[in-house]
Amino acid sequence: MAYLCHPGDLYKVMLVPDFYLVVVFLSFFQVNLATNQIVMNCADIDIITASFVPEGGEGEEINATGFNYQNEDEKVTLSFPSALQKGSGTLKIDFVGELNDKMKGFYRSKYATPAGEIRYAAVTQFEATDARRAFPCWDEPAIKATFDISLIVPKDRVALSNMNVIDRKPHPEDDSLLEVKFATTPIMSTYLVAFVIGEYDFVEGQSSDGVTVRVYTPTGKAEQGKFALEVAVKTLPFYNDYFNVPYPLPKIDLIAIADFAAGAMENWGLVTYRETALLIDPKNSCSSSRQWVALVVGHELAHQWFGNLVTMEWWTHLWLNEGFASWIEYLCVDHCFPDYDIWTQFVSADYTRALDLDALDNSHPIEVNVGHPSEVDEIFDAISYSKGASVIRMLHNYIGDEDFRKGMHSYLLKFQHKNAATEDLWDCLEQASGKPIALVMSSWTKQMGFPIIVVDQEQQGDDRILKISQKKFCASGPHNGEDCPNWMVPISICTGEDPGCTKLKVLLDSPETTITINNVSPDQWVKINPGTVGFYRIQYSSAMLESLLPGIRDLTLLPVDRLGLQNDLFSLSRAGMISTVEVLKLMEAFVNEPNYTVWSDLSCNLGVLSSLLSHTDFHEEIQEFIRDLFTPIGLKLGWECKQGEGEPPGAGGHLDALLRGLVLGKLGKAGHKPTLEEARRRFKDHVEGKQILSADLRSPVYLTVLKHGDSATLDTMLKLHKQADMQEEKNRIERVLGAISAPDLIQKVLTFALSEDVRPQDTVSVIGGVAGSSKHGRKAAWKFVKDNWEELHNRYQGGFLISRLIKLSVDGFAIDKMAAEVKSFFESHHAPAAERTVQQCCENILLNAAWLKRDADDIHQYLLKRKAPPV
């Protein structure tokens, strides 16, 4: 095989009516060693002819005489009758490729015109390894090239690619077609190439540093692109300033795609999004949607530097792209919307999610060796994204912002238009900070898991002596094996004197250590990990924990620390290290809690517990606990938004709107009678058009009326779904349909999930909603997945949606034999891209079963005792 690099590709696409594409592909490259074979990546493509022309006319065109497809490896070998000599030349390929329905490669996306006519757009999604489905190429991140792209398209369609249009002319053979030529791209990886052909409107703005920004929306919905445009126009200068490296392209387009598997994709200069991750309707979009759009726009625009300008060397370093973008999106949103309190939300949304997954025996290190393309899809998970973001947040805190930015700047300058590995980033940050970054961070990226920090204390005069040790935390309990791994753990400590100020920082680089904190009076509490920044769990001695609890009731502990304390204890109870009753007692201390994110995390953990206890005959008792806990905050918030909430969000208004939706939904689902009655009244008015529900109240109201509804309620909801013009509203309904209780109606919802009325990427959330709503729903959803496996697997194979479907369907079981059933099913129904997910789900089922056996009786007794009248 020749050693090849291709510094330039010419790619001409012609769309023809049967939705196949005929392409001329020219690649200019260097032959470093004489060879009569060229091996390229290629999938679902039929090559018609291929030839090689040496540069400068130094020899004749050589036609390839054979094409050998290695379908398993997604490669093709082109054979030539004589050796291609050393030197530059052009490879010319004519081929036919399929415009597929798989939401990967070059595919078609179905949409309806304002008049209701069904049409198709042609769009691309190449990450990780699907550029090879659009054109034969060397489809690896380190083999970069410049691309010259021309599209031949119907003249009434919008045609977009990574770069700006430099020529547009009628097609010589058909005046209904246009040939659109785009400027040459910078040197870039194949997975970032993109083109879109369809019908779109747009809104346009310009960033303060002169970049043209457009947001493309479905026809007639340009208004819904304004919020994303506002975010993008603020975000580009923010990153320019933060990285101290200018955005290198003349334009950036953000476009909403109807059928789209991921949330969004950072193609250089042409970022593609699900409609719900980009479009905001001022009247019909809720606060959480605005926040989601802001975060996704921040994430994808960060990639324009971190991923596109400097690209990971190989998929092993994927976390560098995704972990970094998942961290800095919060920095960016905090800059644009300081009232979102977004860093507290990070802890609940990313940090704790990563801890939960990484405590499993079937987790994986942040850096994971990747061989076959099917293995790449598996690592687009909470470890690469959320653990990656969490350890970068910890690193940023350890280094300090100034040195961190200095290191980032030198990294981007040194590797721009090139590829880099994790170690390259560590080197730059080490030089900027003078700290042992590589040594510290390799313990977090090269080994899976994280430590539990065990803390005890004693008072000596005016000093507090802390004894701190670390061991690996496992979801099944502490690791007690011989070969216990160690981490280099940055540890911060604060005291009750000033909870927001770090009193001491140490680097724990051994299994245990003793620390003295001077001038701490005996009545002051001491807390480890203020800000909940370090990626570890904490187990305090009972006396230390006891001293921290008043800080929850009187709110002297920071919100993020109140959240962290509760989440740690919940995790310890699942691992069998403390009784779940202790956590329930702690939860009752949150009765005065005002913070949205703290409630959100509490609600999430109570949801896990409620799901677990649905396997018992005292499920109603935990519902009563939930009603008791959430009623005071529900009464305080009421149904109507106060001045400053809603559009546009004022200080605190955004978070109050989120909290109201959360609390009312929780109370309604748990059967709180006044909430249920009010939800039914408001729903009736909404349906009859008397009083339209505000966007922030729709999810909780829909959920409540469905949970306690009948077939008429479901029919009304399906009618609302059909009438909805906005994808956000359709998704809102799809996510709660599973709350319906009657078995025949659950079946109706599952059938609806695979109907034409639900977009392919959204089927997963409908099935997941059924599985997560009740014991019967869980069984029905799992049976439905098994019965329809072939269709579901064909639709999602090789993508992360198949993993999400499996996880949502089976994660909530709590019977040992279900783990065996799930394992057995996937042994005979292979899903290579979800192997690790299946193992994680089986492990979770066994952990749930053990938790239930261990704690169910004690929980039941506690819940009964709470209700008993005092003697």
Side-chain angles (χ1 to χ4, degrees), residues 39 63 137 212 324 353 400 444 553 558 560 592:
V39 181
N63 290 306
C137 56
T212 300
F324 185 83
R353 184 168 161 245
W444 296 97
R553 278 187 191 275
L558 297 178
V560 72
N592 303 317

Side-chain angles (χ1 to χ4, degrees), residues 854-866:
R854 192 175 58 237
D855 276 6
D857 287 346
D858 288 350
I859 294 170
H860 192 194
Q861 289 312 309
Y862 176 72
L863 293 173
L864 289 174
K865 206 163 74 184
R866 273 182 78 251

Side-chain angles (χ1 to χ4, degrees), residues 670-686:
H672 181 249
K673 282 213 166 54
T675 304
L676 173 56
E677 283 163 15
E678 183 63 11
R680 281 179 171 154
R681 186 186 72 73
R682 286 174 182 253
F683 182 66
K684 185 169 179 288
D685 286 354
H686 177 70

Side-chain angles (χ1 to χ4, degrees), residues 198-237:
E199 295 176 286
Y200 298 95
D201 285 344
F202 68 85
V203 285
E204 182 179 310
Q206 200 160 42
S207 70
S208 58
D209 30 31
V211 179
T212 300
V213 183
R214 283 183 175 182
V215 175
Y216 283 85
T217 73
T219 310
K221 295 186 178 178
E223 182 81 4
Q224 294 178 17
K226 285 184 174 173
F227 179 72
L229 180 67
E230 176 197 325
V231 176
V233 165
K234 281 185 191 171
T235 296
L236 283 174

